[in-house]
Amino acid sequence: MTLFVLIALLSLLNTILPDFIKNYLKVSRLWGVRNSAEVRQLQTELDAAREQVEVVSNAEHSGEYARTIKIMRAERKVSEAEAKLKSARGMENFMRMSIDTAMFYGSKVLLSAITVFISIRNRGTPVMIIDEAISLAPFTGLLSFPTGVANAISVPAWAFSCNLTFRLIYGLVKNRGA
C-alpha cells in the first residue's frame, strides 16, 4: 500500500511541481541582486553621458565645426553607454531565464530519477493484487511483468499509469483554465 501511495504522490509532484517552479516560484529573483548593481551603474553612466550631450549642445563654442565634433563625441558616448546597458540587461535576463530553466528541468529529472529508482528497486514487488473475479485478460502479463504474480500490478506499470494519468488530467485542467 505504501508503494501505491508513494508512486502516485511522486507522479503527481512530477507533473505539478516543475510548472509551479517555472511559473510562480521564480528562483532567479534570488540571484538578480548582483547583476542589478551593474545595471544601475551603467544607467548612471548613460544619464551622465546624456547630460554631457546637453551641456555640449548648450555651451558656446569657437566655431560650428568644433561644436559639431564635440556633440558627435558626446552622442557617441551616449550610444556606447546605451549598448553596454542593453547588453547588461540582456545578460541579466539570460541568467534569470537559464536559472529558471535549470530549476524546471532539474526538478523534473530529480523526481523522475527517484521514481525510476523506486521502480527498479521494487520491481519484483506487486503494488496491488486484484481479485481473481476481475479479469485483466489481455493485459495480465503486461501489468504484472517483472513480478510473476497473477492478477498483480507491478511497480513499473503503476508508475507509468500514474504519470500518464496525471499528465493527461493536468493538461486538461491547464487547457480549460487558459
Side-chain angles (χ1 to χ4, degrees):
M1 187 63 163
T2 58
L3 281 175
F4 180 84
V5 174
L6 180 65
I7 291 174
L9 183 63
L10 282 172
S11 297
L12 180 64
L13 282 175
N14 196 13
T15 303
I16 295 173
L17 187 64
D19 281 343
F20 179 78
I21 288 172
K22 182 179 179 183
N23 296 327
Y24 301 109
L25 195 55
K26 299 290 183 187
V27 178
S28 64
R29 292 179 189 160
L30 301 174
W31 283 284
V33 177
R34 179 178 48 115
N35 289 339
S36 60
E38 180 184 354
V39 169
R40 283 193 298 262
Q41 178 190 4
L42 290 172
Q43 183 66 43
T44 305
E45 289 177 17
L46 177 62
D47 292 341
R50 285 182 178 157
E51 285 179 21
Q52 187 178 3
V53 168
E54 295 230 3
V55 167
V56 169
S57 296
N58 295 333
E60 301 242 348
H61 298 285
S62 58
E64 188 64 30
Y65 180 74
R67 180 177 186 260
T68 305
I69 295 295
K70 288 182 180 180
I71 289 175
M72 287 175 58
R73 286 181 184 159
E75 287 175 348
R76 187 177 312 130
K77 285 183 182 179
V78 168
S79 63
E80 288 173 0
E82 286 175 344
K84 286 180 186 177
L85 182 63
K86 184 178 178 182
S87 174
R89 283 185 178 156
M91 185 57 82
E92 183 176 318
N93 288 338
F94 175 74
M95 289 297 291
R96 285 184 178 174
M97 183 182 67
S98 62
I99 289 169
D100 289 338
T101 303
M103 289 300 295
F104 173 78
Y105 286 112
S107 65
K108 284 185 98 48
V109 165
L110 179 66
L111 289 170
S112 296
I114 291 171
T115 305
V116 167
F117 176 74
I118 289 173
S119 295
I120 290 172
R121 187 165 182 235
N122 298 305
R123 67 182 175 270
T125 309
V127 173
M128 72 175 84
I129 299 173
I130 299 174
D131 190 13
E132 296 286 328
I134 300 173
S135 176
L136 303 173
F139 303 111
T140 303
L142 183 64
L143 290 175
S144 65
F145 168 57
T147 63
V149 177
N151 266 7
I153 297 180
S154 66
V155 173
W158 180 244
F160 175 75
S161 64
C162 283
N163 275 322
L164 183 68
T165 303
F166 285 132
R167 288 180 199 274
L168 286 173
I169 291 171
Y170 187 69
L172 289 173
V173 169
K174 198 170 157 181
N175 288 340
R176 184 175 279 283

